[in-house]
């Protein structure tokens, strides 16, 4: 469901790859959600070894696929390392500051590796991804995806006493806000990110006529991921059970007991 929402313009092959990657993220999340730092590191090592050393070597002269694999592996490595850091924070009952949290959360949400599939068929050069405007757009998108997840997952996480890696808990802790005020803060912060994202969309530099069309498609994909993620949270049963679509309309959630 999430892959179909996030990659609506991609080919069947990319869509299938997206489904597979979402399954990897969900499975890794399930296994590490309550893992100790040592257990999380062991799992991260297993996953990265599987990615780095596949049974078949890529043929010489391979261009796009090899580059996509390189970028995905590098970003997936950052993701697994960040999840290990999250496990350390959980073990130590450490609540990060807001800015420090977002540095880690951009990775633990798993958005950055997922963005790689958006340019799977575009063959964009490194200069595009090294551009500061493109990098900001990626960060804004990842943070909006994170905020939506934190807002929607907070209820089940606090009920399980596993809400330390969540912006709602962090804001309540550091800014001395109650739950309603923290939710409002997160919504306002999201609105600010939306404005920054849209402003940077208009500031994307030209990379030449042929590349500009491809870059625009990639940037549109970053924006679509935000919306796809929002829809998925209410259509899946992971956070709201069978009441997701109703809650999407009413915006009312009954707080679960801890």
């Amino acid at each position: 469901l999430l892959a179909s929402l996030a990659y609506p313009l991609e080919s069947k092959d990319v869509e299938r790859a997206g489904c597979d990657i979402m399954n990897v993220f969900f499975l890794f999340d399930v296994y590490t959600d309550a893992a100790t730092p040592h257990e999380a590191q062991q799992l991260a090592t297993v996953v990265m070894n599987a990615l780095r050393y596949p049974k078949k070597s890529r043929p010489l002269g391979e261009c796009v696929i090899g580059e996509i694999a390189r970028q995905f592996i590098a970003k997936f490595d950052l993701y697994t390392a960040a999840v290990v850091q999250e496990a350390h924070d959980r073990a130590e009952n450490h609540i990060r500051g807001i800015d420090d949290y977002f540095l880690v959360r951009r990775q633990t949400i798993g958005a950055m590796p997922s963005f790689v599939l958006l340019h799977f068929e575009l063959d964009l050069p490194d200069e595009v991804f090294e551009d500061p405007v493109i990098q900001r757009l990626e960060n804004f998108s990842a943070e909006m995806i994170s905020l939506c997840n934190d807002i929607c997952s907070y209820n089940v996480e606090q009920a399980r006493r596993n809400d330390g890696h969540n912006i709602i808990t962090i804001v309540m802790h550091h800014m001395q806000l109650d739950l309603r005020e923290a939710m409002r803060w997160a919504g306002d912060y999201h609105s600010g990110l939306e404005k920054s994202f849209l402003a940077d969309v208009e500031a994307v530099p030209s990379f030449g006529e042929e590349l500009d069309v491809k870059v625009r498609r990639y940037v549109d994909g970053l924006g679509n991921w935000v919306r796809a993620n929002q829809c998925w949270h209410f259509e899946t049963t992971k956070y709201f059970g069978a009441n997701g679509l109703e809650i999407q309309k009413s915006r009312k959630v009954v707080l679960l007991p801890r």
Side-chain angles (χ1 to χ4, degrees):
L1 174 61
L2 180 56
S4 64
L5 291 168
Y7 307 111
L9 301 179
E10 311 308 323
S11 67
K12 181 180 178 180
D13 290 338
V14 175
E15 194 76 31
R16 173 58 187 272
C19 290
D20 291 341
I21 288 174
M22 293 307 109
N23 285 330
V24 171
F25 280 127
F26 293 146
L27 187 61
F28 192 69
D29 182 65
V30 167
Y31 274 98
T32 61
D33 207 30
T36 66
H38 177 68
E39 291 169 340
Q41 183 61 70
Q42 284 186 316
L43 290 168
T45 299
V46 168
V47 171
M48 292 312 303
N49 280 343
L51 286 169
R52 288 194 175 104
Y53 306 109
K55 293 181 179 179
K56 295 183 180 180
S57 300
R58 297 193 305 272
L60 293 175
E62 183 180 81
C63 181
V64 177
I65 299 299
E67 177 61 16
I68 291 295
R70 181 188 70 81
Q71 292 189 28
F72 177 80
I73 289 171
K75 293 185 178 182
F76 199 85
D77 192 12
L78 291 174
Y79 160 70
T80 58
V83 170
V84 172
Q85 182 58 62
E86 178 185 350
H88 278 289
D89 290 350
R90 182 169 57 246
E92 298 167 3
N93 292 318
H94 175 57
I95 299 179
R96 290 178 174 269
I98 294 172
D99 292 339
D100 192 29
Y101 170 72
F102 276 118
L103 289 176
V104 177
R105 190 64 169 122
R106 288 176 197 158
Q107 303 302 331
T108 60
I109 192 62
M112 296 302 186
S114 302
F115 293 162
V116 174
L117 280 187
L118 293 173
H119 57 89
F120 188 86
E121 298 173 321
L122 300 180
D123 197 13
L124 296 172
D126 286 345
E127 66 175 307
V128 172
F129 302 107
E130 292 168 356
D131 183 84
V133 177
I134 297 298
Q135 291 177 352
R136 286 201 304 269
L137 286 167
E138 291 174 336
N139 287 338
F140 290 148
S141 180
E143 288 187 12
M144 284 188 280
I145 292 169
S146 300
L147 280 169
C148 178
N149 179 257
D150 285 1
I151 291 171
C152 292
S153 67
Y154 175 77
N155 195 19
V156 293
E157 288 179 356
Q158 65 84 25
R160 298 169 185 162
R161 299 183 181 274
N162 188 27
D163 56 326
H165 193 69
N166 188 302
I167 192 62
I168 303 302
T169 297
I170 288 169
V171 168
M172 287 195 292
H173 178 79
H174 289 292
M175 301 183 70
Q176 301 299 304
L177 301 179
D178 62 24
L179 178 56
R180 186 183 298 274
E181 292 169 334
M183 286 288 181
R184 185 178 298 112
W185 182 97
D188 291 342
Y189 193 89
H190 192 289
S191 296
L193 290 172
E194 291 175 25
K195 293 177 182 178
S196 296
F197 183 92
L198 293 173
D200 266 349
V201 167
E202 300 301 320
V204 173
S206 174
F207 298 94
E209 185 175 351
E210 182 178 350
L211 276 180
D212 284 350
V213 176
K214 297 180 179 181
V215 171
R216 181 68 194 203
R217 177 170 167 176
Y218 177 63
V219 170
D220 286 346
L222 295 175
N224 181 72
W225 240 108
V226 176
R227 183 56 177 161
N229 178 65
Q230 292 173 349
C231 292
W232 174 78
H233 275 82
F234 294 103
E235 291 182 38
T236 184
T237 58
K238 185 174 183 179
Y239 301 112
F240 303 119
N243 302 317
L245 294 178
E246 179 183 342
I247 290 172
Q248 187 178 25
K249 294 178 180 179
S250 69
R251 301 295 180 179
K252 294 179 179 179
V253 177
V254 177
L255 197 63
L256 297 171
R258 289 177 70 91

